């Protein structure tokens, strides 16, 4: 028996749930092939397709969406229907007795689009399945409840200016959360709300394109476009969303450069050197970046030879600079044309050209004080050597370009002529020699001549003057080096001994040609042969070998062929030596100085050593004996003086009219009384004697040392001209003008062994010494 499952559809209001019933599964049994056997076949009783539930329905009570029924259920109440799966018991509930399925709450397809459920019929008493369970799907049917959105908005795009109509700018994309497979809820249409007539949008793809040609960035650089997306195919009642697209026009080189003025005027002083900036020219180009880079050039040849123009580091301004030195006296103004051209030109926009502009430039040269200008950049003068001082060398000339009649003064900078070999006339620039010149010492003299304007010493210029000293025959030839050679005593006659070379420092004509000649005659010990190239060969004569003796001195005569011819004589030293078989020198000692027969070199050295030792002993003995005799004598001739003399010069008083006169410091009162004219003047004891007293003959010295010392001491005490003078002398004499005389006690006279004389009272010195008298003066006792 087949179990039939029917789905009862409930139509409530606008609700509709459709289920398609398939052939039920059938369990059957039967026998096949042999009697008594039963063949069993089982079929599934539940085959379900998908069902639909409209989303977002919010009714007052659960809504019936369908009913389950099995042919097993005969209405006796023994069948119970069960529902399991997604949302069972919460979203979907089933009546166990009737099999009615209800939805308990509003569903949102965007949250969950379908539910998978499992239906089963069981025996109520034993829960034994009456039918196998079957799975079915409930889909939530979409309604248009979500507007389109632009997840990537707002948008920013760039398009070149001057683009053609229809140039793609950007594509915008909106998304609708509704089901695109059901109705038109997710069918979108794009439109432009703001941005017309400059841009358009494709309704289906959302591609934004330019709508008009020749949009100029220099006019408007940025546009704000509003794009709308509407579902339901754009029909009324559909939901919509919008976004913004900021479109920026990128720059292209569609504008040529343009000078803001047609004529430019500049001025520059004539002293401006090459590279000096004259002025700036700026052509205007509204383009940006590389499209605005410009190059400048001078069109006329007149200006391009004197000036140059180039773009600055930013490629915008043209820098006009001096190319060659300017001269106000030669040319006072320049006129030429300057062209500005874009460096990068887009062929697509050539129709908007030409991409260049031309302006006229006038440069005025201003006069400036200039130093004198020499007639030549450098001077080259010549003069013969050995000429007398004052010989004319040459002349330099300079003039003032600003005032040709202005006088010029010439001078030679000292550092360029340290030896003062030349002089120059300050008025006319004539250069003469100041000393005789020697070409062999200095061939070139590099002078620096200074020309200064007489009216303005700050205006001065310099020039280099190279003076070449010309040669004349003033140096006699001489040997190139001192020659000291040798020859073996076994050498064959005519053998070459030495090649002698001559040197002549002169270079004029035949002065450098030198001839050499040696001793002539048959008795000559050597032969000198002139090689006629400034050298000569020294040869052995054609006679027996020379004896070994003191070195031979060979005279050599040298002369040149200058005008006048100069000559000199030199000497070549030749030693005759005994040589070994290989030609090396064994001995060059002369025969006359050989050791005597029977005495060897060692014996001679021993004799010389003995003699030297005896002489040394004799000298030592004499020195010791003389030292012993001088130990008993006083050194009479030595004058050892250690004087410490302090000159406290306070002046010679009011009557001192000769400053620093040492005689004013001497105390005339301390000197001894003047003697008669015939007597010898007495020498002062407080000053160094000016002359030595005549020495008296001494008596024989006693043999006793103590008596000798006492005798010498007495002689020294009586003789004022002998040391010691170890006294500290203070000159306190204040002159004769003071009534008290000198306050120093050094000059007070006293008798040897006597009492001091009477002291003058201080009261008698005058009113100036009244206070001193009260302090230190001795008061006389009152008279009785």
């Amino acid at each position: 028996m087949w179990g039939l499952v029917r789905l009862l559809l409930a139509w409530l209001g606008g609700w509709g749930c459709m289920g398609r019933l398939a052939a039920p599964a059938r369990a059957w049994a039967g026998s096949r092939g042999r009697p008594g056997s039963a063949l069993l076949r089982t079929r599934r009783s539940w085959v379900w397709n998908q069902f639909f539930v409209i989303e977002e329905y919010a009714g007052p009570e659960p809504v019936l969406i369908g009913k389950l029924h099995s042919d097993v259920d005969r209405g006796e109440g023994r069948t119970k229907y069960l529902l399991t799966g997604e949302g069972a018991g919460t979203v979907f509930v089933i009546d166990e007795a009737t099999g009615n399925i209800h939805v308990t709450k509003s569903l949102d397809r965007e949250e969950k689009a379908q539910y998978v459920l499992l239906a089963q019929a069981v025996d109520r008493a034993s829960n034994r399945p009456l039918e196998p369970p079957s799975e079915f799907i409930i889909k939530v049917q979409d309604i248009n409840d979500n507007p389109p959105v632009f997840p990537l908005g707002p948008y920013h795009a760039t398009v070149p200016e001057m683009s053609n109509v229809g140039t793609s700018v950007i594509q915008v994309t909106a998304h609708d959360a509704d089901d695109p497979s059901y109705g038109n809820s997710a069918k979108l249409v794009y439109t432009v709300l703001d941005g017309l007539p400059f841009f358009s949008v494709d309704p289906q793809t959302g591609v934004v394109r330019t709508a008009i040609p020749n949009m100029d960035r220099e006019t408007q650089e940025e546009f704000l476009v509003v794009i709308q997306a509407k579902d339901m195919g754009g029909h009324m009642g559909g939901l919509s969303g919008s976004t913004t697209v900021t479109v920026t026009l990128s720059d292209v080189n569609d504008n040529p450069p343009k000078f803001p003025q047609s004529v430019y005027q500049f001025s520059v002083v004539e002293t401006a050197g090459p590279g000096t900036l004259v002025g700036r020219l700026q052509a205007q180009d509204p383009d940006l970046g590389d499209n605005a880079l410009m190059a400048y050039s001078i069109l006329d040849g007149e200006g391009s030879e004197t000036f140059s123009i180039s773009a600055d580091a930013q490629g915008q301004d043209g820098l006009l600079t001096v190319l060659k030195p300017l001269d106000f006296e030669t040319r006072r103004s320049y006129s030429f044309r300057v062209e500005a051209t874009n460096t990068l030109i887009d062929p697509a926009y050539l129709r908007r050209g030409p991409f260049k502009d031309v302006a006229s430039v006038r440069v005025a040269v201003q006069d400036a004080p200039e130093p004198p200008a020499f007639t030549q950049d450098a001077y080259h003068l010549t003069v013969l050597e050995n000429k007398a001082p004052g010989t004319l060398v040459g002349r330099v000339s300079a003039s003032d370009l600003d005032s040709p009649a202005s006088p010029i003064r010439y001078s030679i900078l000292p550092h360029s002529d340290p030896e003062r070999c030349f002089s120059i006339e300050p008025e006319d620039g004539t250069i003469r020699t100041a000393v005789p010149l020697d070409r062999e010492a200095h061939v070139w003299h590099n002078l620096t001549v200074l020309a200064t304007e007489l009216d303005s010493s700050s205006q001065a210029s310099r020039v280099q003057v190279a003076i070449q000293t010309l040669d004349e025959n003033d140096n006699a030839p001489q040997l190139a080096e001192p020659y000291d050679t040798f020859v073996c005593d076994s050498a064959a006659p005519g053998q070459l001994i030495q090649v002698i070379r001559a040197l002549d420092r002169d270079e004029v004509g035949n002065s450098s040609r030198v001839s050499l000649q040696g001793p002539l005659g048959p008795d000559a010990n050597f032969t000198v042969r002139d090689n006629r190239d400034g050298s000569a060969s020294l040869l052995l004569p054609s006679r027996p070998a020379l004896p070994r003796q003191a070195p031979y001195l060979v005279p050599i005569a040298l002369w040149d062929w200058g005008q006048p011819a100069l000559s000199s004589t030199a000497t070549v030293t030749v030693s005759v030596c005994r040589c070994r078989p290989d030609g090396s020198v064994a001995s060059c000692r002369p025969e006359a100085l050989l050791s005597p027969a029977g005495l060897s070199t060692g014996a001679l050295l021993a004799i010389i050593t003995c003699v030297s030792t005896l002489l040394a002993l004799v000298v030592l003995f004499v020195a010791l004996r003389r030292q012993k005799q001088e130990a008993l004598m006083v050194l009479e001739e030595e004058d050892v003086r250690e004087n410490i003399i302090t000159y406290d010069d306070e002046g010679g008083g009011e009557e001192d009219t000769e400053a620093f006169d040492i005689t004013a410091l001497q105390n005339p009162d301390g000197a001894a009384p003047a003697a008669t004219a015939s007597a010898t003047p007495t020498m002062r004891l407080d000053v160094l004697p000016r002359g030595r007293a005549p020495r008296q003959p001494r008596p024989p010295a006693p043999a006793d040392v103590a008596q000798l010392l006492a005798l010498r001491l007495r002689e020294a005490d009586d003789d004022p001209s002998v040391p010691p003078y170890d006294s500290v002398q203070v000159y306190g004499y204040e002159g004769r003008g003071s009534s008290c005389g000198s306050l120093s006690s050094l000059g007070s006279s006293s008798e040897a062994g006597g009492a001091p004389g009477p002291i003058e009272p201080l009261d008698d010195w005058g009113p100036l010494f009244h206070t001193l008298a009260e302090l230190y003066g001795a008061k006389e006792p009152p008279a009785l």
Side-chain angles (χ1 to χ4, degrees):
M1 178 177 182
W2 291 81
L4 178 64
V5 179
R6 294 183 175 90
L7 176 62
L8 301 180
L9 302 179
W11 300 90
L12 298 176
W15 286 74
C17 298
M18 176 65 70
R20 287 180 294 173
L21 180 62
R26 177 70 176 169
W28 58 275
S31 60
R32 180 180 297 177
R34 64 180 183 271
S37 64
L39 179 62
L40 298 178
R41 184 181 65 176
T42 302
R43 294 185 179 178
R44 295 189 58 183
S45 301
W46 304 91
V47 179
W48 297 86
N49 290 327
Q50 59 185 5
F51 300 96
F52 298 92
V53 178
I54 299 177
E55 67 170 337
E56 301 293 343
Y57 178 77
E61 57 185 17
V63 179
L64 175 65
I65 61 173
K67 182 177 181 179
L68 297 179
H69 183 74
S70 174
D71 55 358
V72 179
D73 185 8
R74 293 183 172 83
E76 300 174 354
R78 295 174 56 188
T79 304
K80 181 172 68 174
Y81 297 94
L82 300 178
L83 186 65
T84 59
E86 295 178 344
T90 56
V91 178
F92 303 100
V93 295
I94 189 170
D95 189 337
E96 296 180 352
T98 63
N100 293 332
I101 301 175
H102 296 81
V103 59
T104 61
K105 63 179 181 179
S106 176
L107 301 181
D108 188 0
R109 191 198 66 83
E110 285 72 34
E111 291 183 0
K112 191 172 181 63
Q114 66 181 12
Y115 296 86
V116 179
L117 299 173
L118 190 67
Q120 188 176 19
V122 298
D123 185 84
R124 182 179 298 274
S126 62
N127 286 331
R128 180 178 60 85
L130 300 178
E131 294 287 350
S134 181
E135 182 182 274
F136 64 96
I137 298 174
I138 300 178
K139 284 193 173 183
V140 181
Q141 185 176 352
D142 183 44
I143 63 173
N144 189 18
D145 60 342
N146 291 281
V149 294
F150 293 88
L152 301 179
Y155 296 86
H156 296 271
T158 302
V159 64
E161 63 173 334
M162 311 304 292
S163 296
N164 297 325
V165 175
T167 301
S168 176
V169 178
I170 194 174
Q171 182 179 16
V172 297
T173 303
H175 293 280
D176 196 323
D178 294 327
D179 188 3
S181 62
Y182 181 78
N184 294 328
S185 299
K187 186 177 181 181
L188 304 180
V189 174
Y190 298 93
T191 57
V192 177
L193 296 183
D194 191 4
L196 297 174
F198 303 103
F199 299 93
S200 63
V201 64
D202 188 290
Q204 282 74 36
T205 62
V207 176
V208 180
R209 303 178 185 274
T210 58
I212 62 173
N214 300 330
M215 285 190 292
D216 191 4
R217 184 199 63 82
E218 290 74 28
T219 302
Q220 183 176 351
E221 184 177 5
E222 191 173 271
F223 297 86
L224 184 63
V225 182
V226 179
I227 304 297
Q228 181 190 65
K230 189 174 183 180
D231 58 12
M232 299 299 293
H235 295 93
M236 183 176 297
L239 302 179
S240 64
S242 63
T243 187
T244 60
V245 179
T246 302
V247 181
T248 303
L249 298 182
S250 61
D251 185 60
V252 298
N253 191 10
D254 59 337
N255 294 281
K258 184 70 176 178
F259 284 105
Q261 59 191 71
S262 59
V263 179
Y264 290 85
Q265 293 186 356
F266 302 101
S267 62
V268 61
V269 294
E270 61 176 337
T271 55
T276 302
L277 179 64
V278 178
R280 285 176 174 263
L281 288 81
Q282 184 177 15
Q284 297 177 354
D285 191 335
D287 294 326
L288 299 176
D290 295 342
N291 297 321
L293 296 179
M294 289 172 283
Y296 294 85
S297 60
I298 298 177
L299 299 181
D300 300 333
E302 170 190 344
S304 61
E305 295 177 357
T306 310
F307 300 93
S308 65
I309 189 170
S310 60
D312 61 0
Q314 289 74 31
Q316 299 294 321
D317 295 352
L319 306 180
L320 183 64
T321 57
V322 178
L323 183 61
K324 291 183 178 181
L326 305 174
D327 188 5
F328 175 81
E329 289 72 23
T330 303
R331 187 163 188 172
R332 300 189 178 185
S333 65
Y334 295 84
S335 297
F336 48 89
R337 294 185 304 158
V338 173
E339 181 182 73
T341 308
N342 279 134
T343 57
L344 299 177
I345 299 178
D346 191 344
Y349 304 99
L350 286 177
R351 56 186 176 81
R352 303 181 65 87
F355 288 84
K356 59 184 178 180
D357 195 19
V358 178
S360 298
V361 178
R362 184 179 184 276
V363 180
V365 181
Q366 297 179 348
D367 190 21
E370 296 179 274
F374 285 93
T375 58
Q376 300 180 24
D377 295 335
Y379 291 86
H380 176 216
L381 306 176
T382 59
V383 62
L384 284 172
E385 64 175 333
N386 300 323
K387 291 297 182 180
T391 300
L392 177 63
V393 179
R395 182 174 179 269
V396 296
S397 178
S399 60
D400 185 359
L401 300 180
D402 299 326
S403 178
S406 177
I408 304 296
R409 292 288 182 180
Y410 302 91
S411 61
I412 298 175
L413 294 184
H415 73 272
S416 64
D417 186 20
E419 298 179 0
R420 304 294 188 271
C421 297
F422 300 92
S423 63
I424 189 170
E425 293 293 337
E427 291 79 11
D428 60 0
T430 300
I431 300 177
R432 300 180 183 274
T433 60
V435 296
L437 304 179
D438 185 6
R439 189 202 66 85
E440 287 69 33
H442 297 286
V443 178
W444 290 94
H445 298 269
N446 296 313
L447 307 181
T448 302
V449 176
L450 182 69
T452 308
E453 293 183 9
L454 188 61
D455 300 335
S456 177
S457 59
S458 61
Q459 298 297 329
S461 58
R462 303 180 181 185
V463 71
Q464 296 296 323
V465 180
I467 300 177
Q468 182 181 6
T469 307
L470 301 180
D471 186 36
E472 66 178 10
N473 192 21
D474 60 342
N475 291 279
Q478 57 187 2
L479 294 181
E481 58 179 292
Y483 288 96
D484 188 354
T485 184
F486 73 94
V487 63
C488 295
D489 54 2
S490 60
Q495 180 178 338
L496 176 63
I497 302 175
Q498 178 73 44
V499 176
I500 304 170
R501 301 189 180 277
L503 176 66
D504 193 334
R505 299 173 62 191
D506 296 322
E507 295 181 353
V508 177
N510 295 323
S511 299
S512 58
R513 177 186 172 189
V514 180
S515 297
L516 299 90
Q517 183 178 351
L520 302 176
D523 298 333
N525 293 326
F526 299 94
T527 301
V528 177
R529 185 180 63 196
D530 191 358
N531 296 330
R532 300 185 182 276
D533 59 354
S535 66
S537 299
L538 181 62
L539 308 172
L540 279 176
S542 300
R543 58 185 181 86
L546 299 175
R548 282 188 292 159
Q549 61 177 30
Y552 291 90
L553 301 179
V554 182
I556 304 295
L558 305 94
W559 70 91
D560 58 23
W561 294 81
Q563 296 295 331
L566 300 179
S567 62
S568 64
T569 302
T571 303
V572 177
T573 303
V574 181
S575 300
V576 180
C577 302
R578 181 167 57 86
C579 299
R580 298 185 181 91
D582 59 355
S584 60
V585 177
S587 174
C588 287
R589 289 180 299 172
E591 295 178 350
L593 298 180
L594 294 177
S595 302
L599 291 179
S600 63
T601 302
L604 288 176
L605 292 177
I607 294 173
I608 293 174
T609 303
C610 293
V611 173
S612 301
T613 304
L614 292 175
L615 290 176
L617 292 175
V618 172
V619 171
L620 180 62
F621 177 77
V622 173
L624 292 176
R625 184 176 182 83
R626 184 175 180 181
Q627 183 178 5
K628 183 176 181 180
Q629 292 177 356
E630 291 180 353
L632 301 176
M633 300 175 62
V634 179
L635 299 176
E636 299 178 357
E637 298 300 331
E638 295 182 0
D639 188 6
V640 181
R641 304 173 182 176
E642 297 180 359
N643 301 333
I644 303 176
I645 303 175
T646 301
Y647 294 96
D648 190 6
D649 186 2
E650 298 181 357
E654 297 178 356
E655 296 180 357
D656 184 11
T657 58
E658 297 181 2
F660 306 102
D661 188 359
I662 198 63
T663 58
L665 300 178
Q666 298 178 357
N667 186 3
D669 297 335
T676 59
S678 59
T680 302
T682 306
M683 302 188 65
R684 291 172 54 89
L685 300 179
D686 57 349
V687 297
L688 184 66
R690 298 176 181 269
R692 187 179 294 274
R695 188 178 300 276
Q696 301 295 333
R698 291 183 176 179
D704 188 11
V705 176
Q707 295 180 3
L708 176 62
L709 293 177
L711 176 62
R712 294 294 184 260
L713 180 61
R714 186 165 54 254
E715 291 179 357
D717 292 339
D718 296 340
D719 188 358
S721 62
V722 298
Y725 300 110
D726 50 351
S727 60
V728 179
Q729 302 183 20
V730 179
Y731 296 92
Y733 180 60
E734 299 181 356
R736 296 178 181 272
S738 176
S739 60
C740 67
S742 177
L743 297 179
S744 176
S745 62
L746 297 177
S748 302
S749 59
S750 61
E751 298 294 338
I759 300 176
E760 182 180 0
L762 295 177
D763 294 335
D764 298 340
W765 288 4
L768 296 177
F769 297 92
H770 179 68
T771 303
L772 187 63
E774 291 180 354
L775 294 175
Y776 298 102
K779 298 182 180 181
E780 297 181 359
L784 298 176

